[in-house]
Amino acid sequence: MLPYSTLLSIDRQSSTPVYLQITNNMILQIKKGVIGAGTKLPGSRALSEQLQVHRKTVIKTYEELLTQGWIEQIPAKGTFVSKKLPEITPEKISSATNVPPAYPVQTGFRIESNTLLHRPIIKAGNLIGFDDGFPDVRLAPVEVLSRTYRTILQRSFQKKLLLYGETQGNPYLREVLADYLHQSRGLAISSNNICITRGSVMGIHLAAKIICKQGDKVIVADANYPAANMIFQQLGVQLLRVPVDEQGICVDSIETLCEEQSIRLLYITSHHHYPTTVTLSAERRIRLLQLASQYDFAILEDDYDYDFHYTSSPILPLASADTHGMVVYVGSLTKAIAPAFRVGYIVAPQNLIEEAGYLRRIIDRQGDLILEQAMAELIAEGELKRHLKKAQKLYHERRNFFCDLLENYFPESISFKVPEGGMAVWATFYQRHNLETLSLEAQKQGLLLGNGKNYDCNLQNMTRMGFASSNLEEIEQSIHLLQKVMA
Amino acid sequence: MLPYSTLLSIDRQSSTPVYLQITNNMILQIKKGVIGAGTKLPGSRALSEQLQVHRKTVIKTYEELLTQGWIEQIPAKGTFVSKKLPEITPEKISSATNVPPAYPVQTGFRIESNTLLHRPIIKAGNLIGFDDGFPDVRLAPVEVLSRTYRTILQRSFQKKLLLYGETQGNPYLREVLADYLHQSRGLAISSNNICITRGSVMGIHLAAKIICKQGDKVIVADANYPAANMIFQQLGVQLLRVPVDEQGICVDSIETLCEEQSIRLLYITSHHHYPTTVTLSAERRIRLLQLASQYDFAILEDDYDYDFHYTSSPILPLASADTHGMVVYVGSLTKAIAPAFRVGYIVAPQNLIEEAGYLRRIIDRQGDLILEQAMAELIAEGELKRHLKKAQKLYHERRNFFCDLLENYFPESISFKVPEGGMAVWATFYQRHNLETLSLEAQKQGLLLGNGKNYDCNLQNMTRMGFASSNLEEIEQSIHLLQKVMA
């Protein structure tokens, strides 16, 4: 007999199950030819004794090798290494040379670089400090989420979720969400009014593509969420920019534009304008709805952080008062839970939702139905509400703490208004500080500070300073670093 | 003291933890006003005795209520229901009426229905029978996947994955995949040549959008994967259709077209042509690469089921022999694991991958970094290979069994060639059977059978008959049903 105990060494500290270790080693030795094709293998009892493992372990190994096609079992004869090994060497297209050609450095055909999209992409770094207004992912209910995820995968009656499904999203999530949005946002909708997306960006992308065509005129705030502007510009529309004051986007300016030309769409971040955090007043909301009906333009309402408000009550979205079907409402769970779980939604009259489903199909076919199912169960069981309440309380505390420090330490350098909600402060740095220089200097000191260049506008020396993702200690640390940088 | 044991009833059979049951009931009673704002609550010891639960349970309840803001603890005084309750009633925009307006049935603005995209969307049904060639999701390694998923979420050093990340995909997956594709497909690439997508559809979508503009000419096979055709047509390109014979797409016809006009792109499903399952011969592959360089067109190679081949060795993709950077290679793990886990990739020279990252940002910002990390670990640990080997062996068996039955039972009604790989047979029904009528009749009998109308071509009475997702028993059952339908 071959010296199997040497050939098939076992590491009992390893996290790989023993039977898999034996299997993998066996395959290795077969591939090397040490255990040749056609070799008769010892019976399970004999091998288990030699390897000092339980006989069941060897049986499991043989089963695994059998399924993978490495061995054959011939009744009354025994177990043999397959004559025809399952390892297949792919056929080369050209046998001219054995050295694979180096992979090309550049496409051979010319592609036009899409400079419109060439902007720095913010990603998670290792610096502490002031991000763009991200949630604290350390609070995310990952334990219950991953448990739910696993349970769903284990339910045999839900194997269907592993296949192709509805392009408009998991039906159960659409139902649960209709109910949740009715309760939390006063939207009297049914699941037919919801298309699940992968976050707000995809919501805006789909809606914009359905509503706009090249040459259309789209009104956006000046400043605005840059990804939205990029999406519109990609479609070849003309952007018209309207200022924002302390009540939100200027409705008078919008009316003036409407009198002069035909507007196709207005994009607004109503609850907390991005980047300035201003809430659009109730009175302006009503006027916007009237203007939309009067001048026949669609409103794309991006309510990305409705869930986070600290002092006053939130104002219900425009969509909740839209009786004429002028508003397409876009939201997301990414701020509520974590950006990684990309689940968002479009709310709109059914004819638009159907188009969204068709369009989605040629983008990525469908969402992640398992994750969507898990989210639905989290919402149905009240986990989302519970989590939001906790997060809101903590963020409220952090906002207060951060704003106090900002006011006390930088009274002569930074001006800001305490935001009513959201996850960031809109800060204006006084002229003698150049924000671009400061941002670079901060980076050197290990502090994250925006340079104010990412809001697609002409505002100078202003930036968002996120407070929600840092705990009190980290906020204090960041403030001290900022003192050093600004000294 | 209030009758807490009645107010806060506990269901010891419930799967909700006891402390959460008490918490939820407490909130309910506070909301109802039964436990009024400002009420002093009993100490944890007293309450635990009254409710007959462990004192720690009550402490946990109080902690939860405290975090959520429902109660306050005043040192040396005790625990009180908050005076200002955290429940906030959102402010209505218009207070004219209390009845919420009915949600609009239709958009108020006109949207053009995108009829090009209005095609039936195949989804998982409850019928047994012959799908389009889907994997058997019952084999999917969901246990190890969900365990890995959970482990990743629990690792505190990987909390970064919960935030915004690279738009080109999880860096570790890009690395692991570069290695895996090198080994399995002879692609001498690095992670810089990979952009992770959500399956092949998104790969085609991104590549097409980067390469083509309105008016460009794109060659596709006649018949072809309909989603690809839709993606191209959406971009306003002109489709030129070229026939397919038993060696794959007709390269002579392509050359003729190139002589007459400027071609921008050729789309091919090289390994197993969709829908006919023909493998493109090695000789034609070489000629295609030469033509691409000579006439300066890009090749979009969609190798969706390279991993499944039964008799002969697979032929390495065109991309493996592309020294001039003419090929963009698209693949996916959805067929290998399950359609629900939407992870795929584009392989291309780095300049195109960079553009893909920028474009991705305005579609859905980024992929699911957690799932991508889990996939990477599955590949790195050999799980994917192991699973593929098992699946391949089973599918091979199923193909043989299915083809035998098809030949024996329908020698005078259906003609087909045994496919070398993939998950479906391309079947031609004889003229006296009308496939459309059969398909409807089959549905009535509980049998899934395609009507052949979804391949974007003029071929008549032909359909794909998937065999991989059914076990032998189910295949037999389906064949018997088909006999009944065709009788």
Side-chain angles (χ1 to χ4, degrees), chain B residues 236-256:
Chain B
V237 310
Q238 187 188 340
L239 286 190
L240 304 172
R241 295 165 203 260
V242 162
V244 175
D245 62 25
E246 60 285 345
Q247 284 197 69
I249 197 163
C250 291
V251 179
D252 287 339
S253 310
I254 294 173
E255 188 162 14
T256 310

Side-chain angles (χ1 to χ4, degrees), chain A residues 66-68 87 91 108 110 122 143 150 162 198 205 264 314 325 340 362 364-366 389 393, chain B residues 66-67 87 91 108 110 122 143 150 162 198 205 264 314 316 325 362 364-366 386 389 393:
Chain A
L66 199 65
T67 341
Q68 292 191 29
E87 199 75 336
E91 208 177 295
R110 226 177 74 85
I122 302 167
E143 182 50 36
R150 191 172 182 179
L162 290 172
R198 291 180 33 78
H205 185 99
R264 179 60 175 160
I362 64 161
D364 65 347
R365 180 58 179 82
Q366 68 186 39
K389 209 151 255 173
K393 196 166 171 254
Chain B
L66 200 66
T67 340
E87 198 75 336
E91 208 177 295
R110 227 177 73 87
I122 300 167
E143 182 50 36
R150 190 172 184 179
L162 291 173
R198 290 179 34 76
H205 185 98
R264 180 60 175 159
L316 283 177
I362 64 159
D364 65 347
R365 180 58 179 81
Q366 67 185 38
R386 205 152 41 233
K389 209 151 254 172
K393 195 165 171 253

Side-chain angles (χ1 to χ4, degrees), chain A residues 20 24 64 66-70 87-91 93 101 103-104 106-111 113-114 117-124 126 134 137 142-143 146 149-150 153-154 159-162 164 166-167 188-189 193 198 201-202 205 230-231 234 264 282 286 296 298 306 309 313-318 320 322-326 335 338-342 347-349 351-352 355 358 361-368 386 389-390 393, chain B residues 20 24 64 66-70 87-91 93 101 103-104 106-111 113-114 117-124 126 134 137 143 146 149-150 153-154 159-162 164 166-167 188-189 193 198 201-202 205 230-231 234 264 282 286 296 298 306 309 313-318 320 322-326 335 338-342 347-352 355 358 361-368 371 386 389-390 393:
Chain A
L20 267 189
N24 291 338
E64 181 74 26
L66 199 65
T67 341
Q68 292 191 29
W70 294 97
E87 199 75 336
I88 290 176
T89 321
E91 208 177 295
I93 297 183
Y103 195 75
Q106 189 102 19
T107 49
F109 50 94
R110 226 177 74 85
I111 54 176
S113 193
N114 192 335
L117 303 180
H118 287 205
R119 306 212 192 178
I121 296 174
I122 302 167
K123 59 189 177 185
N126 290 316
F134 298 151
V137 295
V142 295
E143 182 50 36
S146 60
Y149 191 89
R150 191 172 182 179
L153 283 178
Q154 282 167 339
K159 285 285 180 221
K160 232 168 75 169
L161 286 177
L162 290 172
Y164 294 103
E166 311 272 355
T167 58
I189 52 175
N193 300 116
R198 291 180 33 78
V201 170
M202 186 181 256
H205 185 99
M230 286 194 273
I231 289 170
Q234 269 297 292
R264 179 60 175 160
I286 295 174
D296 191 32
Y306 175 87
H309 37 79
S313 306
I315 303 181
L316 283 178
L318 274 81
S320 72
D322 171 29
T323 46
H324 293 86
M326 304 312 285
K335 288 270 189 286
F341 304 111
R342 304 206 62 66
V347 173
N351 62 323
L352 192 140
E355 290 295 321
Y358 283 116
R361 183 190 189 188
I362 64 161
I363 293 178
D364 65 347
R365 180 58 179 82
Q366 68 186 39
D368 183 334
R386 204 149 43 232
K389 209 151 255 173
K390 277 193 203 178
K393 196 166 171 254
Chain B
L20 266 190
N24 291 339
E64 181 73 27
L66 200 66
T67 340
Q68 291 192 27
W70 294 98
E87 198 75 336
I88 291 175
T89 319
E91 208 177 295
I93 298 182
Y103 195 75
Q106 187 102 20
T107 49
F109 49 94
R110 227 177 73 87
I111 53 175
S113 193
N114 192 336
L117 302 181
H118 286 206
R119 303 212 194 179
I121 296 172
I122 300 167
K123 58 188 180 189
N126 291 316
F134 299 150
V137 295
E143 182 50 36
S146 60
Y149 191 89
R150 190 172 184 179
L153 283 178
Q154 282 167 339
K159 286 284 180 220
K160 233 169 72 169
L161 287 177
L162 291 173
Y164 293 102
E166 310 273 356
T167 58
I189 52 175
N193 300 116
R198 290 179 34 76
V201 170
M202 186 182 255
H205 185 98
M230 286 194 272
I231 290 169
Q234 268 298 291
R264 180 60 175 159
I286 295 173
D296 192 31
Y306 175 87
H309 37 78
S313 305
I315 303 180
L316 283 177
L318 275 80
S320 72
D322 171 30
T323 47
H324 293 85
M326 303 314 283
K335 287 271 189 286
F341 304 111
R342 303 205 63 68
V347 173
Q350 196 174 344
N351 62 323
L352 192 140
E355 291 295 320
Y358 283 116
R361 183 190 189 187
I362 64 159
I363 292 178
D364 65 347
R365 180 58 179 81
Q366 67 185 38
D368 183 335
L371 182 65
R386 205 152 41 233
K389 209 151 254 172
K390 275 192 205 178
K393 195 165 171 253

Side-chain angles (χ1 to χ4, degrees), chain A residues 295-307:
Chain A
Y295 291 103
D296 191 32
F297 62 83
I299 298 176
L300 181 51
E301 181 176 26
D302 178 359
D303 216 8
Y304 67 103
D305 72 357
Y306 175 87
D307 288 311

Side-chain angles (χ1 to χ4, degrees), chain A residues 245-307:
Chain A
D245 63 24
E246 60 287 340
Q247 285 197 68
I249 198 164
C250 290
V251 179
D252 287 340
S253 311
I254 293 174
E255 186 161 15
T256 309
L257 285 174
C258 289
E259 283 162 2
E260 293 162 357
Q261 48 202 311
S262 166
I263 303 299
R264 179 60 175 160
L265 180 77
L266 162 70
Y267 169 83
I268 39 166
T269 45
S270 49
H271 205 256
H272 300 121
H273 171 248
Y274 184 97
T276 67
T277 80
V278 176
T279 302
L280 185 64
S281 69
E283 187 223 329
R284 288 200 181 171
R285 289 175 191 232
I286 295 174
R287 272 193 64 205
L288 274 184
L289 285 173
Q290 286 165 344
L291 285 179
S293 286
Q294 188 182 341
Y295 291 103
D296 191 32
F297 62 83
I299 298 176
L300 181 51
E301 181 176 26
D302 178 359
D303 216 8
Y304 67 103
D305 72 357
Y306 175 87
D307 288 311

Side-chain angles (χ1 to χ4, degrees), chain A residues 103-230:
Chain A
Y103 195 75
V105 175
Q106 189 102 19
T107 49
F109 50 94
R110 226 177 74 85
I111 54 176
E112 266 168 54
S113 193
N114 192 335
T115 46
L116 180 67
L117 303 180
H118 287 205
R119 306 212 192 178
I121 296 174
I122 302 167
K123 59 189 177 185
N126 290 316
L127 303 186
I128 68 157
F130 313 106
D131 58 31
D132 197 54
F134 298 151
D136 187 346
V137 295
R138 292 169 297 192
L139 308 175
V142 295
E143 182 50 36
V144 56
L145 180 67
S146 60
R147 203 171 49 225
T148 310
Y149 191 89
R150 191 172 182 179
T151 310
I152 294 165
L153 283 178
Q154 282 167 339
R155 288 183 201 138
S156 59
F157 67 90
Q158 283 190 333
K159 285 285 180 221
K160 232 168 75 169
L161 286 177
L162 290 172
L163 267 169
Y164 294 103
E166 311 272 355
T167 58
Q168 293 165 345
N170 183 308
Y172 182 52
L173 178 58
R174 292 172 75 198
E175 239 173 70
V176 167
L177 210 50
D179 202 50
Y180 177 78
L181 295 175
H182 191 178
Q183 280 175 40
S184 62
R185 286 149 167 89
L187 300 171
I189 52 175
S190 81
S191 63
N192 291 332
N193 300 116
I194 293 185
C195 176
I196 305 298
T197 65
R198 291 180 33 78
S200 304
V201 170
M202 186 181 256
I204 303 169
H205 185 99
L206 290 171
K209 205 151 177 189
I210 291 167
I211 299 172
C212 303
K213 53 177 195 304
Q214 198 166 11
D216 278 348
K217 287 171 184 169
V218 172
I219 299 179
V220 297
D222 185 25
N224 194 28
Y225 178 41
N229 282 359
M230 286 194 273

